[in-house]
Amino acid sequence: MNAYLLIIIPLIGAVLAALWPRKKSRPLFLPAVGLVHTILCFLLLAKPEAVDPAVWLAFDPLARAILPGVSLLFLVCACYTVGYLRLKEQDNRVFVPALLLVLGLLSAAHQARHLGILWIATEAVTLACVPLIHFNGTPKSFEATWKYLLVGGTGIALSLLGSICLGYASLHGGGSGDITFTALLEHGPNLSRAWVLTAWVLLLVGYGTKMGLAPMHTWKPDAYGESPGIVGALLAGGVTSVAFMALLRIKSVVDAAGEGVVTGRTLLAIGLFSTLVAALFLLRTRDFKRMLAYSSIEHMGILCIATSLGGPGVWAALFHVWSNGLTKGALFLSAANLQRVADSSSIDDVRGMSKVLPRTSILFVVGMFAITACPPFGPFFSELLIIRTGLGAGQGWAIGLFLVCLLLAFFGISRIVFAVVDGRPRLKKPNPAHLKESAGLILPPLFLLAASLWLGLFTPDILKGAWSAAVLQLFPIP
Amino acid sequence: MNDTLNLLIGLAMGLNLLALGTSRLPVLIRAVAMQGVLLGLLPLVLEAHGLDWRLVLITLATVAGKGVLIPFMLIRAMRTANIARELEPFIGYIPSLLLGAAGTIAAVALTRYLPLLPEHAGNLHVPGAMALILTGFILLIGRTKAISQVCGYLILENGIYLAGLLLIRSTPILVEFGILLDVTVGIFVIGIIVDRIQRAFDSLDTRKLTALHE
């Protein structure tokens, strides 16, 4: 029941917000619905319910391990959005309901235990994000949206084809073609090998596109660069985690079919490639919002590397999903503050922001240290765990390359951040309309950074338990 | 059953070549629409002995969506953009036609080596799906106009729909409906975007979408 509440409440909120006549008070729906959603999520996290294996949607251990983090990120972004939209002239009659729709669909996708439901929810999230990405209405944002739709749409089409192949693998192996994850896992050893491998390739490419793994990442820098900061935060922290979770569930099925070596190798290869590509682009880019996109590609690569290491690696990956989501959220929100005042996100136009927006600049710099895995923030501990697991699994070369990429990424990111913050103020408009660093624009990113710090220093036992349960669900001890 | 099935899929494969070879958008859109209708009728052929209202509803919805609604939207988008032909594709018409033909032959030839259930082995079902998916990709990559790319995407979707019909006996109907709905909505949104791009750039040429690059 509660599983459905998490989906229905945001959807009802979206309808109400669409019908709400007042532009000024409409954004208040976001924190209200977000708060209810987060409270419900954490209650379910604290008191897990037994899950009927046959059911199509449930708050199962894997959903418990990730969804509360996404919900928390949404709540904080929602609080920020209220202040953000107050400064915007555009109508928000589409924007606010679409955000709530995304929350509801994200909850559905995280809880999907049926390949078809998972696919529908992911596709629906893709479509619901469209009005969010071109909210600013500039030609560039249309271009970004078109690319997002075409690349994302093709990716999602391939993942549907992969789902069909997985169903056919079951049918060909004498099964019923049932594509609930429970049935596929039980039927695992009998699944037709050739079709399982075809399905794995297609699903990896398909959901990998949504996740933004290189070389299917081309939509990401544009979409993140041209959409409002909150949308970037939700795409990076919420939508990508859906795709990652889809890959986790599918990997467990393919592993059960006896192809664990193949999934491990492909994930390691694509993970390293993504990290490397992102690191190289980070050294080149001159735009601080595109920088966040490349950083997101890097972290998706890290998740794949971690997952390729098996059970303990998946545990570290779940930890990293939380620490990356919260930290990236803080960076996106502070970047949004900077972009608002500077009216640009290029380091050629924006300099010396520490004089113009001192508080935001501090947040931006601290966020940079957090995301590049400096201690004692969350990403440091999750990445340390990944490195230790990798060395323990005898993947010395891969981990070595991974560390080089991390170092390059650190150079790339710190170069841009300091260029923006440091020096004499240089802005596109000589006398910008000064944005007051009001509590509504400073506290949300501060809160997210604090959460990232807290996650690193005092990882709560309840989360550790949830991650262990999720690993156990995916890879039951044979 | 196999004869009707092969006939419908064979015609759909022929329309691929028409879609690849034409420079005129109305022809391309009509080819895609025809293909949608042909494939929409397939569930009736596949399940001829077990007809029920759900099957009829799916058929009606698919034919209406793929054959009427989406082509209508595309024609409208084409008229508002005031274009009737595509002049400079990335991949020329003859090369795309040859690629498509070679792909179709390869799909038919390779199917023999795939592990298939007996009821799918002797007909054009699987090669048809592969040929459609391939054609969709050629159009997606090889065309410059947004509407042609949408048509390519639709042929790709048609191919995936055809592949999905392999599971018609086992996959719950709900999923098929969701697929259909999503495709329709997706194209709907794409249509809106096409409209917006046109207003923003005064053209539907995706080559003008080059402000964003690294």
Side-chain angles (χ1 to χ4, degrees), chain B residues 48-174:
Chain B
H49 43 85
L51 278 182
D52 61 5
W53 63 272
R54 286 193 305 195
L55 207 61
V56 175
L57 205 62
I58 283 208
T59 307
L60 282 178
T62 316
V63 171
K66 287 184 190 289
V68 182
L69 184 66
I70 293 171
F72 173 76
M73 280 165 41
L74 285 174
I75 297 260
R76 231 193 54 169
M78 188 189 78
R79 295 227 171 102
T80 43
N82 203 14
I83 39 167
R85 59 170 77 224
E86 171 153 42
L87 292 173
E88 304 156 77
F90 285 128
I91 303 177
Y93 299 105
I94 303 296
S96 19
L97 201 57
L98 290 176
L99 266 177
T104 306
I105 294 167
V108 177
L110 284 175
T111 303
R112 203 183 316 169
Y113 304 101
L114 290 177
L116 291 174
L117 290 174
E119 64 260 40
H120 302 133
N123 54 39
L124 283 176
H125 200 150
V126 175
M130 292 195 325
L132 259 65
I133 291 167
L134 190 75
T135 308
F137 268 119
I138 296 175
L139 283 176
L140 262 178
I141 298 163
R143 296 294 177 262
T144 49
K145 291 270 190 289
I147 292 178
S148 314
Q149 289 175 334
V150 172
C151 287
Y153 188 72
L154 277 167
I155 295 181
L156 176 72
E157 284 278 10
N158 278 344
I160 292 170
Y161 166 82
L162 189 54
L165 289 181
L166 291 172
L167 295 171
I168 191 167
R169 290 202 180 85
S170 49
T171 310
I173 233 86
L174 182 83

Side-chain angles (χ1 to χ4, degrees), chain A residues 78-98:
Chain A
C79 295
Y80 179 90
T81 313
V82 175
Y84 173 83
L85 287 177
R86 198 164 287 156
L87 300 163
K88 280 271 173 183
E89 280 160 18
Q90 284 117 303
D91 193 23
N92 54 32
R93 190 181 278 275
V94 177
F95 191 76
V96 172

Side-chain angles (χ1 to χ4, degrees), chain A residues 17 21 27 45 89 108 134 221 253 270 295 316 343 395 430 436 451 458 462:
Chain A
L45 174 67
E89 280 160 18
H134 72 74
V253 169
I270 204 167
S295 164
D343 198 25
Q395 299 282 7
K436 245 181 75 193
F458 318 99
I462 189 165

Side-chain angles (χ1 to χ4, degrees), chain A residues 56 114 120 123 134 143 146 149-150 153-154 157 160-161 164 168 172 176 195 222 226 281 284-285 290 294, chain B residues 115-117 120 133 137 146 149 153 160 163-164 167 170 174-175 178 182 190 193 196 206 209-212 214:
Chain A
W56 284 8
H114 182 284
I120 291 171
E123 159 108 18
H134 72 74
E143 181 183 338
W146 178 252
L149 258 179
L150 214 60
T154 312
L160 176 60
L161 191 61
I164 293 168
Y168 201 74
H172 194 261
S176 60
W195 288 103
D222 298 345
E226 299 309 317
F281 273 105
R284 276 187 56 193
T285 187
R290 296 175 76 90
Y294 289 117
Chain B
L116 291 174
L117 290 174
H120 302 133
I133 291 167
F137 268 119
Q149 289 175 334
Y153 188 72
I160 292 170
L167 295 171
S170 49
L174 182 83
V175 176
D182 271 1
I190 292 178
I193 297 297
R196 290 287 178 88
T206 48
L209 300 181
T210 49
L212 297 175
E214 196 57 50

